[in-house]
Amino acid sequence: MTETYGPGPAESPLILKLLIMHQLFRLVLGQKDLSRAGDLFSLDDSEIEDSLTEALEQIKIISSSSDYQTNSNDQAVVEICITRITTAIRETASIEKHAKALVGLWDSCLEHSLRPSGKDDDAPHAKIASDILSCILQNYNRPPVMALAIPIAVKFLHRSNKELCRNMSNYLSLASITEAALLADHTDVIVKSILQGNAMLLRVLPAVYEKQPQPINRHLTELLALMSQLGQPEQYHLLRLLHVAAKRKQPEVAQKCIPFLIRHLKDSAHNDVILNILIEIAGYEPVALNSFLPMLKEIGEKFPYLLGQMARIYGAVGHVDEERARSCLPFLVSQLANMEHSFHHILLLEIKSITDAFSSLLGPQSRDIFRMSNSFSTIAKLLTQQLETATARSSRKKTSTEVEFPKKLEEIKLTLAEKEDHEKLQVKIQAFEDKINAENSTPNSIRRYSLGQFSKEERKDIRFNRSKSLALRAVLTRSTSSDDGEVAEGEDTPARVFLSETDPLSQGNDKLPFKASSARSQLGNSSVSHPNIIHTDSENLPETVKENFQEETPETTASPIEYQDKLYLHLKENLSKVKAYAVEIGKKIPVPDQCTIEDSVRSCVAKLFFTCSLKGHYCLYSKSSFILISQEPQPWIQIMFLFQQSLFPEPLSIQSHSVQFLRALWEKTQADGTHSFETAMMESMFPQQKDLDQVQLHLEEVRFFDVFGFSEAAGAWQCFMCNNPEKASVVNQDGQPLIEGKLKEKQVRWKFIKRWKTRYFTLAGNQLLFQKGKSKDDPDDFPIELSKVQSVKVVARKRRDRSLPRAFEIFTDNKTYVFKAKDEKDAEDWLQCINVAVAQAKERESREVTTHL
């Protein structure tokens, strides 16, 4: 009797999976045949795509065996198979089909030790987790994949492998852009990882705060204590978190934040951002800021460019009650008389808002004070006198001061106006104020102020100097009534100019890209910016201006901004076009992080610096920069200007810091007698197409697009490695060639005798290696050190030599090499690989220098 034996119950699923797999996968994984593993790369992706899930499950079984950590053959087989699988998944876009098996293998790694066994030796299961990390998480914009991956990903944050944790944090930061809701369920784990030193995850917290504020609020004090240990980008993300928290109007959170924010106000890198957070808090918790006003005053005097924001905080506290109003007004009035800044219009509006809310502070003549003169110092002097008088005045008894003061005011008004027109003007002003009083009511505690416009008829009837125009416009939009606490804006105000600091945090921008260097007219990268404040220069407001009232030639009154800033008005009319254009052009042409104008022999040139926005672990430009020298600076300055405007919801003013910086650059490139910056921007808002084509061509010539590309998912320009993280493992394997093959090298014997010699080249590590002969086995010649390479360029096309587009040059410190590939495609492959390798070598050198310092 013959007995037949079948597979046992445990063996049946394994055999079934092997039968379903592709024959070569079945051979390599079933027999763990390392000699045939390399043949997997000869198969077409579509040929093995149906086998990938089964192959991943087989790898999971192999890697879970008890001897896997000591079996180098099995580890090598698994490593090769995973590389082939992840490549096929990416090329066939089948991540959603195989995500469950891929994440299952990822999860199984958590059951084993991930701690490095030595200084440079990763644990076997850490290698598996790292190899499939990018394949999974680079699909952060695919919800089904992220729903499976994120719960597993966060478990790696506490598994004693810093390298793996850092890479995971990079991808989780990207995932927070589109899948904040999924990450919110793991907020507690993320916060604990940050507190253990993983500061990179701070950029995730603002995105998840709306969904899960409680875990963050519980540890808020501990998070704030990290501030001094963080780099500037992480500090910015922590402040961004506080801004999001402040917007939720939680008094208990505000109480924790305020002392921390006040302590860091003296840091010039962040003080404008911090003030914007304090302004948000002042909107609903002004009393909490009352005790910190002296410190705010001290900082405002030290940093005059912050006074506009300071005024809003003082205004908010001054609205709490009359006692606080009396304590806030002296500072606002003293700054109104100070000519060392340009925020007089904001100060005046805050003062008027407080005095309208508490009419007893100035008495019935308060409106006359604001209308008295076009000199801010004169108004400040009158306000100071009246505040002192009001303080000394008894609440029960009217003193003679109350009677005499209006007479003094009338005398001053008669001195400033022409007598024959004065009576007519007073009638018109009174009629106008009566109308305003009927239409408006008392303001809230804090607002964004606007200067409206009069109707055409009122403009014809009322003519007075610029200070009166400012005061009456303030009355138009801000006039109040003591019966009601709501803001009522005039109906005849179709056009508005908002006078408020633009909040960089609310724009979603880790940063504004420009800052000034007064010595070199330089624009540089900055993690935060000074606020963009639309204002007029107080120096342009004279102490005394004679009033001309001419009935025959009616004039149109304009606010100080509209009166001077033609660039602002032009941008206001074309704002939507500018933003749409900037978004579109930003996908084709990158905006430099830094720009310096330098003198050359013939003219000025722009030295432009580009860095990667993501700065991932294998980033090519996190410490170094791609530098471009342009003979045509103007189109670049224009592109930077348009990009700067696209960051803000309101038109930029010529007085804005960033515009002033760009203006300085522009003027340095212009000859005497040519158009000013604002004139040039208004006459030709967008660069000419021929200029853009020239910029694009120049970027191609310097091989910019070999190492940078625009990421649609991130909405920004990123380096080759950050755009293709799956290729990082290949590029960063020491000794593994990035590209190899035959090239022809130009040999120069004498001046007029040149010939091409075929040699075998290998690009690996930090060197371009080449053999003396055509074979790979020929002896080596002296290699080219990539860190010494200055540039790599295509040999210019010539009519007489159609083969030259496949030739390229490598320039080092002391020699120029000329190579020729078999065709243009091969030349392109070599050029991109060499440029990526050169960038990586220089980045590695920069990191080593930084570490040494």
Side-chain angles (χ1 to χ4, degrees), residues 546-576:
K546 294 184 179 180
E547 302 172 0
N548 296 314
F549 307 112
Q550 301 173 354
E551 289 291 326
E552 300 81 19
T553 56
E555 297 175 1
T556 301
T557 50
S559 72
I561 295 173
E562 295 172 351
Y563 188 91
Q564 293 184 25
D565 203 338
K566 294 179 181 178
L567 178 64
Y568 169 83
L569 294 174
H570 186 73
L571 285 171
K572 184 177 179 182
E573 292 175 3
N574 298 280
L575 191 57
S576 59

Side-chain angles (χ1 to χ4, degrees), residues 719-736:
C719 75
F720 175 83
M721 285 301 185
C722 291
N723 275 334
N724 302 277
E726 72 283 355
K727 296 183 180 179
S729 58
V730 178
V731 177
N732 286 279
Q733 284 179 359
D734 290 336
Q736 295 297 317

